[in-house]
Each structure stands twice: as structure tokens, then as C-alpha cells.
Amino acid sequence: QACVFPCQCSSQPLQCPAGTSHVWDACGCCKVCARQLGELCSLHRPCDHHKGLYCDFSKFHRGNGICLAHEGVTCDLLGKIYINGESFQPTCKLQCICMDGTIGCIPLCSNDVRLPSPECPNPRRVKLHNKCCEEWVCEEGSEENGFGTAMAVFREDPAHKPELNNPQENCLVQTTEWSTCSQSCGMGISARVTNDNPHCHLEKETRLCMVRPCDFSMKKIKKGKKCVRTSKQRQSLHFEFSGCTSTRSYRPRFCGSCSDRRCCTPFLTSTMDVEFRCPEGDFFHRKMMFIKMCSCHYDCPQDNNILLAMYHRWMIGDHV
């Protein structure tokens, strides 16, 4: 079908299933939900190229084809084989995909946390009938005990009582430390929990992190020294994330190595907003860790690959 200009796209925001990419149609006019493995495709309904899929027109006619995957290694999960590019749900809580022998998953249930507040002094997550994900409910209790619980996260200032319409004014901010980066090399993710928001509710925050590039060349350790703790790039570089590239170049510090078998990990960091540009022309911002100082220690992180460790244990636990 011929392209029609000017472009006529729906005014409604694009709603795609979890794990489905937003891609441009063949005219470059509108974003559409990418077709998945085994689904019918066309120039106006392209396949999800982020997952290595392409539209094979050899088996169909009149401009239609079927989404196939480029050859790659299959995935084995609990004895069931998935081909490269195949999406599947091992449980109602996870949406997974096989990508050249590696299984990647995204959670379908929110992993939020919640602090007591004056309007909900006793929050509790419960499993509701015929629903996969737990939901928050506010248990009723005695007014005295409930108010005391809620005040645990608000400042005890007799001159200011917590107003229901402005809980942030008396919120006692609580924030955890950032977790260890999910990857020992290359781009990973770290997370923390904080209630520094207008509703004074605990929420999970994530940021991108890179302890060192996977092709990082370690500096030679000088005689008498035990470690190279922090090294700064001589040349500026662009960060890459999910096929997108940072619009600015940076000269970040990376953690080096230790000669006595200790681990070298970030000790002092800061967080900055980084803008990324995708091949389709989209822009987005992500928080990212920048290393100020590294340290050598024996408390080495184990199984810190987010795909092979956290999600693998999560899926096995759900099946059991």
C-alpha cells in the first residue's frame, strides 16, 4: 500500500503488550506495535528487529509475510526448548524472551513498596482471588495505634500536624543505599528504595551503571602497589543502552583491578541524568551512576549478572 502524506497517526497513546517494541512503520510516519515471532507482518506492520526478527515474504502473497528469527542458539528452561526470538510466559508474573541462548525477562507485577501514611496507617499486600499479582489493601485498626504507625515516617513536630492533602511537608525522608551493579562489566542496573516523593510512599528507583567496559584494558600495577583503584578514560566515549546511544560524550572513571585477588568495586558515586537517542529518532533520559572512587575488598559480589542470576532464581522459585 502506498504511503499517505501528510501522516495520519492515532491521537491515542500506543498501547503494546509487555516486552513489545514500538517501531516505525514503513512510511516512517507512525509508531506501531512490532509484530512478534510467527505473527503476520507487512511493510506497515514490521517485525520486532530489536529481537532479531524479520518479515519473510516468500510464503505469503499480497504484501503479507510471517515474522521469523535469524538463526541463533535455542534456550532451555526446565526442560522446555524455546527458539531464538521466541517470547513466552513461564508464569503469570514474568514475560520472557529467548535471545541467542540467553533468557531475558521483565516482571509483569509491580514491585513497589509502601510506607504507612495518615490515610492508610496499616498497608498490606494480599493475594486476591483470580488475580496473579498481589495488591495493596488498607487494614482498619484502632485510631490510636494506626496514627502512631503512620507517624513513624513523619516528623514529630507538635507545631505542624500532618495534613492529609500535603503529606510531603512532614515526611521523614528514608532512602536506602544503591544496590551493587548487576553487571561486573558492561552496562547494568542498580536500584534503591526511597520515599522522597510528594506522597511519602516508598518507591523503587533504578539507575544505569557501568563498573568497567568488558573490553577494558587494566593498567599495569606499579611495583609495591596492590591495586589500581580508579582510572579515567583518556578519550571521551558515548554510552550505549538497548541499541540507543547517549547524545553527549563522557570521560567516566572505571574501577581497575587488585593484585591480591580482592574485588575492585565503586566506593563513592554520583548520579546524573543521561539523554539517549535511538536509531528510530526517539529520545529518552535515564539516571546513570558515575564513579568518583573505587576500593579493593574481599566482599566480592557473586552471580551479579541480572539475566543469569536474579531472573533465573525468580523463575525457578515461581515454578516450585
Side-chain angles (χ1 to χ4, degrees):
Q1 299 177 6
C3 297
V4 178
F5 296 102
C7 299
Q8 297 178 355
C9 303
S10 173
S11 59
Q12 298 297 322
L14 193 60
Q15 298 289 339
C16 300
T20 300
S21 305
H22 297 184
V23 296
W24 290 106
D25 61 15
C27 299
C29 276
C30 311
K31 281 293 185 75
V32 296
C33 297
R35 311 297 286 179
Q36 303 303 302
L37 185 69
E39 294 181 348
L40 293 178
C41 54
S42 66
L43 293 177
H44 294 277
R45 297 180 297 171
C47 300
D48 200 335
H49 63 272
H50 296 115
K51 299 176 182 177
L53 303 181
Y54 68 97
C55 194
D56 183 5
F57 294 98
S58 63
K59 300 178 182 179
F60 291 84
H61 301 285
R62 296 182 180 178
N64 289 322
I66 186 170
C67 288
L68 299 179
H70 296 287
E71 290 187 12
V73 181
T74 59
C75 302
D76 183 352
L77 177 63
L78 300 178
K80 188 169 183 179
I81 304 298
Y82 299 94
I83 65 175
N84 180 40
E86 183 176 0
S87 297
F88 59 97
Q89 273 190 254
T91 74
C92 62
K93 295 182 180 180
L94 291 174
Q95 178 70 41
C96 303
I97 181 175
C98 172
M99 296 189 68
D100 200 17
T102 300
I103 296 177
C105 301
I106 59 172
L108 299 179
C109 298
S110 61
N111 194 27
D112 60 336
V113 245
R114 183 170 180 174
L115 279 176
S117 61
E119 65 270 18
C120 185
N122 296 301
R124 188 167 64 94
R125 293 194 76 165
V126 297
K127 180 75 169 65
L128 300 180
H129 183 62
N130 292 332
K131 288 194 176 182
C132 175
C133 304
E134 293 85 3
E135 295 186 6
W136 285 107
V137 296
C138 294
E139 288 188 340
E140 295 183 1
S142 65
E143 184 176 350
E144 182 179 354
N145 292 338
F147 188 72
T149 305
M151 285 299 295
V153 294
F154 287 86
R155 292 189 177 89
E156 295 182 2
D157 185 356
H160 296 86
K161 294 182 180 180
E163 298 291 340
L164 294 180
N165 58 350
N166 188 18
Q168 189 180 26
E169 182 180 349
N170 295 287
C171 183
L172 182 62
V173 176
Q174 302 180 51
T175 304
T176 65
E177 297 292 332
W178 288 103
S179 65
T180 304
C181 191
S182 62
Q183 298 278 13
S184 58
C185 74
M187 192 69 77
I189 297 174
S190 67
R192 70 176 181 179
V193 176
T194 180
N195 67 332
D196 189 8
N197 53 67
H199 303 289
C200 196
H201 288 168
L202 277 177
E203 294 178 349
K204 184 179 179 181
E205 288 184 346
T206 59
R207 67 175 180 179
L208 301 177
C209 53
M210 184 184 291
V211 178
R212 61 184 65 84
C214 291
D215 58 352
F216 187 54
S217 58
M218 302 293 187
K219 290 184 179 179
K220 188 176 180 180
I221 298 177
K222 295 181 180 180
K223 188 176 181 180
K225 297 288 185 179
K226 288 187 176 181
C227 63
V228 176
R229 293 185 177 178
T230 310
S231 56
K232 194 169 186 178
Q233 288 287 94
R234 292 183 177 179
Q235 296 181 347
S236 59
L237 57 85
H238 290 268
F239 293 116
E240 292 187 2
F241 175 65
S242 293
C244 306
T245 307
S246 63
T247 55
R248 278 188 52 197
S249 60
Y250 298 87
R251 290 184 59 202
R253 293 183 182 272
F254 295 123
C255 291
S257 60
C258 307
S259 63
D260 50 4
R261 295 187 178 181
R262 290 185 297 170
C263 299
C264 190
T265 59
F267 172 71
L268 187 62
T269 66
S270 62
T271 304
M272 294 173 52
D273 274 341
V274 175
E275 183 183 55
F276 289 86
R277 185 181 188 278
C278 301
E280 293 85 359
D282 289 351
F283 291 86
F284 65 88
H285 291 260
R286 286 289 186 274
K287 292 182 180 179
M288 184 159 183
M289 175 191 78
F290 283 84
I291 299 172
K292 293 184 177 180
M293 186 182 299
C294 300
S295 64
C296 291
H297 54 84
Y298 290 105
D299 185 19
C300 301
Q302 299 293 329
D303 293 333
N304 61 344
N305 187 306
I306 196 168
L307 289 179
L308 302 182
M310 183 180 74
Y311 285 131
H312 179 71
R313 289 195 296 268
W314 194 353
M315 286 188 290
I316 296 298
D318 280 348
H319 276 83
V320 173

